Amino acid sequence: MTDQNEHDELAALRMLVENSTDMLSRHTPTGTYTYVSPACRELLGYEPEELLGRSAYDLFHPDDLAAVSANHDEVLEQPDVRTIVYRIRHRDGHYIWFETTSHAVRDPRDGEIVEIQTSSRDVTRRVEAETRLRRSEQQFRLAMEHAPIGMALVGLDGSFLEVNDQLAHVVGRTAAELRTLRFQDITHPDDLDADLAYVQQLLDGEIDRYSMAKRYIRADGSIIWVLLSGSLVRDVDGSPDHFVAQIQDISQQILQEEGLRAANEALERLVNEDLLTGLATRRAVLRALDSELTRDDRHGRGVAVMLADVDRFKRVNDRHGHAEGDRVLRDIASVVPGAVRQVDVVGRFGGEELLVVLPEVAAPAALSIAERVRTQVSTHVSSPDGPVTVSIGVAVRRPAESAEQLIARADQALYRAKRAGRDNVQGEAPAPKA
């Protein structure tokens, strides 16, 4: 019965060996095959009998002989199992990558090595994948090292895992110093919330990448503007692993844009704000009038204009000089806006003339505003000759009347005020609507 059990166990073991997808083999201590399992057909293209009596060294890639020989020596010298990855020649001549686990079998009587047993499998795909990964990582590191912009691998907590020299240069710190910091530590406080919001969107899967202009605080405390592009790298299971950041210095661009914006603002002021008085320019006040006329065409709420002229202004210039005349105009410009409504637009129409646009107003109210302006000027503005006065003409728009026609009627009313003795307000009631 015992013999039958042993026979059954050997049969089961033989079946296991014969059907294993790994190539199982036995060698002499010098490496000659004494047994090869059938898996060699699939792995190497040989029949097992073709390998018996051959040295395994005949099949190894020349470039791997030294490594395999050193591993063989270790197998002979060490009692533990040794594993090595190397290339072995297929019957058709191409090489495949083998991973072989070996151990020496010793005679229990004298400890002498009687054979070496191995188990080998094809790991070509794994090795090629690892090679591609290493090559990809090497290419990435080379690209990162030589990139003209800053690059970094950033941990999920914001810590700098890897940085290139360009990023260190941009933020004014060493690469070693950056690796002790988080991006939160060098981001301007006013930009941090927006940056963190984008980071959370990446983690939540709402976006794949983002770009934003932000500020970094350099080691010396100075501020630098950068264009940050960020993306998230995930593990094979989809869980977040780390961020990739690209950082480009745009400080000069920002400065140029700010300079251009300041220039445009200055030009806008030049176009819309009279340099002497600070009031609206002729162009700006006419544009405001056109806008109110359009609104009146739509809603019929009324528009009036007031044309004011400084009385005897030429005499002020002739007697006391243009500097005194300019001062008088500035004083008038400081008084008139306070005498009209907030919705009214006051502009310098030309020389010593002011044009005031009065939206949504009827004739009595327009005349009342004009009278208030006249009173405020005569009360608060003076020249060496005494109080300064203004004559004012008021016109309320007639149906479909143009800006030129409306201003012309206000001008006629102004001349009536001058002929009435100056320091006077004259108006004209609107014609009845058709």
Side-chain angles (χ1 to χ4, degrees), residues 367-417:
L367 291 170
S368 176
I369 294 171
E371 181 61 31
R372 189 162 62 244
V373 168
R374 184 198 67 78
T375 301
Q376 290 294 313
V377 170
S378 64
T379 302
H380 297 288
V381 182
S382 63
S383 75
D385 296 330
V388 173
T389 63
V390 292
S391 297
I392 302 174
V394 177
V396 178
R397 189 193 189 197
R398 294 171 180 171
E401 190 173 34
S402 68
E404 291 78 8
Q405 293 170 330
L406 179 59
I407 292 172
R409 289 195 301 108
D411 191 48
Q412 293 169 3
L414 170 62
Y415 276 102
R416 287 198 300 274

Side-chain angles (χ1 to χ4, degrees), residues 230-308:
S231 59
L232 176 65
V233 176
R234 295 181 180 273
D235 281 334
V236 292
D237 62 359
S239 60
D241 186 68
H242 65 273
F243 301 103
V244 176
Q246 296 178 317
I247 298 97
Q248 184 176 357
D249 182 358
I250 58 171
S251 294
Q252 288 301 317
Q253 178 182 338
I254 293 293
L255 289 174
Q256 290 172 358
E257 290 176 355
E258 289 179 347
L260 181 61
R261 184 162 50 250
N264 287 336
E265 291 174 354
L267 180 60
E268 186 72 13
R269 287 195 300 272
L270 186 64
V271 170
N272 296 310
E273 183 179 307
D274 180 66
L275 293 179
L276 175 63
T277 64
L279 300 175
T281 61
R282 179 188 180 96
R283 175 180 175 179
V285 73
L286 288 177
R287 188 166 62 243
L289 177 57
D290 285 339
S291 177
E292 291 303 329
L293 294 183
T294 299
R295 183 181 301 176
D296 184 48
D297 288 336
R298 292 175 180 172
H299 306 292
R301 295 178 180 175
V303 181
V305 295
M306 176 197 321
L307 196 60

